[in-house]
Amino acid sequence: MELLNTSNITMKFGGLTAVKELNLEINKGEIVALIGPNGAGKTTAFNMITGVYAPTSGRIFLGESDITGAKPHLITKKGLARTFQNIRLFKELSVLDNVFIANHLHLKSNIFEAVLHLPRYKKEKKSILEKSLFLLEKLDLLSFKEDKAKNLPYGMQRRLEIARALATNPQILLLDEPAAGMNPRETDNLTSFIKDIRDEFELTIFLIEHHMSVVMGISDRIYVLDHGVTIAVGNPYEIQNDQRVIEAYLGVSEDA
């Protein structure tokens, strides 16, 4: 079942084409990676899909919903959540509060009910607290629940950001360089962690990542961008042996 589809999405900034006619097809339950050298257009692609940018041309579909140019919070409500390369947490708030706040996207009670602590709000608040604690337990963060987010080790901050994304009830989770800043041990743990949350929460995962050990270790399929253009699509073995990909990453000598 196809969950995310982009049809010839293009992003231009003045005379610069950052991404040209990108076509993605991501099926339910897959782990798909988007890779390429620095400046290839990967984050621009993520920003179009998540509503940060409206594509210059092309369409984006989440299931049967056309989400092209929709606001980020509306896209999130439809079931697409993301993390960022630069961690974006409420650093002065507790670990629990960070996840608790993310749940409010789906609140049905209004501010009037919240201020007066009316029954519907109290029931929802209890449910959100239980869900937040459940997510912290599943992501091995429960023992840190009262700690300020800024005091967590770096790898745990990454987990917390993912916990917040999971609190929005996504169908598909976009991870923007989840291994950035991690040491080798944390990077190794991340590979199994991503697989585990895919299975535990029945997710589809789409990620940008520079660590090839992570990409090759977890991806069902890989898209490769170079200067905004798709140069290869395939499984890890096919990508590792694609001459165009090798040249994009390593260059090619004049003799060659």
Side-chain angles (χ1 to χ4, degrees):
M1 174 183 169
E2 192 173 87
L3 189 57
L4 180 67
N5 174 283
T6 71
S7 177
N8 294 317
I9 57 171
T10 296
M11 191 72 225
K12 295 183 178 181
F13 299 100
L16 173 67
T17 300
V19 175
K20 182 178 181 181
E21 297 179 354
L22 175 61
N23 293 293
L24 298 169
E25 294 180 3
I26 299 176
N27 300 312
K28 185 175 181 180
E30 284 189 310
I31 298 178
V32 177
L34 180 64
I35 67 172
N38 288 332
K42 303 182 297 295
T43 296
T44 299
F46 259 37
N47 285 340
M48 285 190 284
I49 292 168
T50 57
V52 177
Y53 300 147
T56 305
S57 61
R59 312 303 299 175
I60 303 167
F61 295 90
L62 181 61
E64 296 183 357
S65 298
D66 187 340
I67 60 170
T68 312
K71 298 295 184 184
H73 71 281
L74 296 177
I75 292 174
T76 303
K77 287 189 77 169
K78 285 184 176 292
L80 190 154
R82 76 172 289 182
T83 65
F84 293 85
Q85 180 179 352
N86 299 315
I87 296 174
R88 300 185 182 185
L89 298 172
F90 297 109
K91 294 186 180 295
E92 295 296 330
L93 296 182
S94 72
V95 167
L96 177 58
D97 283 343
N98 267 271
V99 179
F100 189 93
I101 289 169
N103 282 277
H104 279 69
L105 184 70
H106 296 288
L107 273 179
K108 293 181 173 60
S109 52
N110 57 41
I111 191 168
F112 176 77
E113 292 172 294
V115 169
L116 295 180
H117 288 270
L118 296 182
R120 183 166 72 160
Y121 173 75
K122 289 195 290 186
K123 182 178 179 181
E124 284 192 311
K125 182 179 178 181
K126 181 175 182 290
S127 176
I128 287 174
L129 178 59
E130 291 172 351
K131 178 183 173 184
S132 299
L133 292 171
F134 169 79
L135 287 172
L136 292 181
E137 181 179 13
K138 288 295 182 181
L139 273 69
D140 294 325
L141 290 167
L142 191 58
S143 61
F144 301 99
K145 67 179 181 179
E146 302 299 337
D147 294 1
K148 287 186 177 182
K150 69 178 183 181
N151 294 332
L152 288 182
Y154 189 85
M156 289 299 184
Q157 288 189 30
R158 284 281 178 199
R159 285 188 177 231
L160 177 56
E161 191 176 37
I162 292 172
R164 289 201 318 170
L166 293 175
T168 67
N169 300 327
Q171 300 176 66
I172 180 168
L173 178 62
L174 275 64
L175 303 175
D176 190 348
E177 296 199 30
M182 289 187 174
N183 61 42
R185 181 181 178 185
E186 289 171 332
T187 301
D188 288 343
N189 290 338
L190 180 72
T191 302
S192 58
F193 172 68
I194 290 175
K195 288 181 178 178
D196 289 344
I197 62 170
R198 187 269 303 268
D199 297 339
E200 177 73 29
F201 296 97
E202 298 182 350
L203 291 171
T204 301
I205 294 177
F206 183 34
L207 74 152
I208 296 171
E209 186 50 66
H210 281 294
H211 284 70
M212 288 300 103
S213 61
V214 175
V215 171
M216 299 302 169
I218 64 174
S219 300
D220 296 305
R221 288 186 299 116
I222 301 168
Y223 287 81
V224 187
L225 288 183
D226 187 29
H227 294 94
V229 177
T230 305
I231 61 169
V233 181
N235 62 41
Y237 176 81
E238 291 167 335
I239 296 302
Q240 284 177 310
N241 292 280
D242 190 296
Q243 190 61 35
R244 293 165 300 174
V245 176
I246 295 169
E247 290 176 5
Y249 273 94
L250 302 179
V252 59
S253 69
E254 292 182 8
D255 290 341

